[in-house]
Amino acid sequence: ASRALTLSPRPQERYCPGLAEEEREQLQAFSARRRREALGQGLACPVPGPCHGCPCRKCGRRLNQGDPGVSASRLGGHLWHPSCFCCHFCHQPLVDLIYFQQDGRIYCGRHHAELFRPRCASCDQLIFLEECIEAEGRRWHPEHFCCLECEAPLRGQRYVLASGRPHCARCYESLYAEPCQACGEPIGADCEEATHQGLRWHARAACF
Ligand SMILES: [Zn+2]
Ligand SMILES: [Zn+2]
Ligand SMILES: [Zn+2]
Ligand SMILES: [Zn+2]
Ligand SMILES: [Zn+2]
């Protein structure tokens, strides 16, 4: 069973309007290279006779002649159950069987790209700059590392991450800081606090 490989809808990286020209060019070169070197489309076809009993590349269970199967030209010889033909990272089914391969594994476009470039937690685009900001395992374009509330740039500033999102110290205090039981002032992110039975105090002699 052979059929022409048609790469119909081409997965697109979206361009962040804020991307600098140089970064945009790097994104285009990156996209072109991985389309050339990693992109493919699986072929759904019944398991052919010579492959009877061979293991599914993902789950390892056997495929029998005539069962529905999927093959991938960039990973010649392997077969998958149709439901096993999914991204190695997120396990989501691959739309139109379009995959990107790396080291013998198949990925969706998003997670294949993330093997090579970090993704900005604010704009959701890949980061091609030399420099990015990293905190608690997430990354940002330096210019997108801004307070979630007031959008003040936080590069080089004090910040607090709440639920993985950066906040300036002032917004964090007004949103999240609990008042001290003694003096009534908020207990800022950089203050020591004392807690007892759910109540909070500044951990200083005047309050606690
Ligand atoms: Zn399987
Ligand atoms: Zn994925
Ligand atoms: Zn960004
Ligand atoms: Zn703020
Ligand atoms: Zn206090």
Side-chain angles (χ1 to χ4, degrees):
S2 72
R3 202 174 63 179
L5 182 76
T6 51
L7 297 175
S8 26
R10 180 184 273 189
Q12 285 286 357
E13 273 87 12
R14 289 178 303 122
Y15 297 131
C16 177
L19 285 188
E21 190 57 35
E22 186 187 336
E23 205 179 7
R24 192 187 305 267
E25 282 168 14
Q26 285 179 305
L27 173 59
Q28 283 168 342
F30 174 76
S31 303
R33 188 171 62 245
R34 71 195 196 105
R35 276 199 297 273
R36 214 166 47 235
E37 295 174 0
L39 177 64
Q41 187 175 30
L43 178 67
C45 64
V47 174
C51 298
H52 177 68
C54 73
C56 166
R57 173 90 174 113
K58 179 169 173 70
C59 74
R61 290 202 302 273
R62 55 180 278 152
L63 289 143
N64 297 316
Q65 181 176 6
D67 284 354
V70 178
S71 63
S73 58
R74 287 188 186 269
L75 291 100
H78 291 296
L79 284 172
W80 289 256
H81 295 108
S83 61
C84 290
F85 199 74
C86 56
C87 171
H88 179 73
F89 184 84
C90 68
H91 307 292
Q92 295 300 306
L94 297 164
V95 177
D96 293 331
L97 304 183
I98 289 173
Y99 66 88
F100 290 83
Q101 80 82 26
Q102 184 65 33
D103 299 328
R105 297 193 172 113
I106 55 175
Y107 295 87
C108 67
R110 180 180 181 87
H111 294 123
H112 179 262
E114 289 179 9
L115 297 175
F116 304 97
R117 305 302 315 183
R119 192 178 291 280
C120 175
S122 172
C123 72
D124 201 41
Q125 303 300 315
L126 300 174
I127 300 173
F128 288 91
L129 303 169
E130 290 295 309
E131 187 188 3
C132 70
I133 291 182
E134 189 167 358
E136 292 185 5
R138 312 181 89 194
R139 324 273 183 94
W140 289 263
H141 288 109
E143 71 271 30
H144 292 161
F145 192 68
C146 300
C147 174
L148 186 67
E149 284 297 308
C150 71
E151 298 184 350
L154 294 176
R155 179 185 201 174
Q157 304 295 314
R158 290 176 53 227
Y159 68 89
V160 187
L161 288 187
S163 311
R165 305 301 196 91
H167 291 73
C168 72
R170 187 195 312 217
C171 288
Y172 179 84
E173 283 174 18
S174 69
L175 284 170
Y176 295 105
E178 305 265 349
C180 167
Q181 288 295 306
C183 72
E185 295 293 314
I187 304 171
D190 53 356
C191 297
E192 294 284 326
E193 71 172 6
T195 60
H196 179 65
Q197 295 186 341
L199 302 176
R200 292 155 195 275
W201 293 264
H202 289 107
R204 60 189 177 209
C207 297
F208 187 69

